[in-house]
Amino acid sequence: MVGRHYWPHLSIDVANRTVRLADGLARAGVAVEILTPRYASSWPDQIYHREIVVHRPAAAPRSEWSMGRYLRHLESWLRDHAHQYDVLYSATMREEAAVVVETARRLNLPSVVHHSGVGRNADATYSAPLRHRRRLHAAIHAADAIVVPRASAHQAMIAAGHYADRIHRIAIGVVPGKG
């Protein structure tokens, strides 16, 4: 699972959802690992959160200029390690999704991108900075599956020209477990 926000960013919706999903999958017996950036140089490259390995090999992007470097680090890490996984999952349809889908294609792995956000903050309305926009849209279109939580997101993805048979409406349904 690749996402720009994970623990300790639990006040951010996508981070909270990704933690809940990873935790639910792990409790169901699925081996899950997270790839996310470091937001401080003092943060270690790898931690365990709820017995899930969290890899943080790259510094978080802080500007448009550092986004390219961040994406190259993600791509390099995935190129070296993705062969160990059965599926690559992007927690959002933002810049990381392009890296996930392209790497999965190269390694002949399935890729899943998850639509996140609501209203103005929805991924369907997100317009990446110009230098990443075309790559992002092509990658999302090439993903093996797009998971959307609501009918409005489903309709927006179809209206954007994505294949209807690749779009799966799945409500966020992983509830926190005990302990």
Side-chain angles (χ1 to χ4, degrees):
M1 299 177 82
V2 179
R4 197 172 308 172
H5 300 285
Y6 194 75
W7 185 88
H9 302 107
L10 298 181
S11 63
I12 299 171
D13 276 351
V14 69
N16 193 5
R17 184 198 70 224
T18 306
V19 166
R20 287 181 17 218
L21 179 58
D23 189 46
L25 290 170
R27 282 186 284 117
V30 176
V32 177
E33 293 188 19
I34 307 297
L35 178 60
T36 191
R38 283 188 318 272
Y39 280 83
S41 60
S42 60
W43 288 15
D45 287 351
Q46 181 176 310
I47 63 168
Y48 287 85
H49 177 249
R50 298 183 180 170
E51 299 181 7
I52 297 170
V53 180
V54 179
H55 303 279
R56 300 188 295 201
R62 301 200 187 279
S63 68
E64 173 62 24
W65 292 106
S66 62
M67 179 61 77
R69 183 178 60 220
Y70 163 68
L71 294 175
R72 283 189 303 276
H73 279 118
L74 282 184
E75 189 170 13
S76 175
W77 193 94
L78 283 171
R79 188 176 45 246
D80 293 343
H81 298 91
H83 65 276
Q84 304 171 53
Y85 306 111
D86 296 326
V87 64
L88 297 183
Y89 167 93
S90 177
T92 64
M93 294 179 1
R94 305 283 168 124
E95 288 83 355
E96 293 86 355
V99 174
V100 166
V101 173
E102 290 168 5
T103 302
R105 284 270 179 249
R106 267 189 249 120
L107 297 173
N108 201 27
L109 293 171
S111 60
V112 177
V113 294
H114 198 124
H115 181 281
S116 66
V118 181
R120 289 189 327 229
N121 297 321
D123 284 347
T125 60
Y126 176 71
S127 184
L130 189 57
R131 58 189 280 198
H132 301 292
R133 189 174 301 152
R134 190 176 306 156
R135 177 183 181 198
L136 176 59
H137 289 291
I140 292 168
H141 193 67
D144 293 302
I146 299 171
V147 175
V148 295
R150 289 173 291 289
S152 60
H154 195 165
Q155 292 166 348
M157 297 310 296
I158 290 173
H162 297 287
Y163 301 119
D165 63 334
R166 293 186 187 173
I167 303 170
H168 306 278
R169 191 177 332 161
I170 304 171
I172 300 170
V174 178
V175 294
K178 295 179 182 177

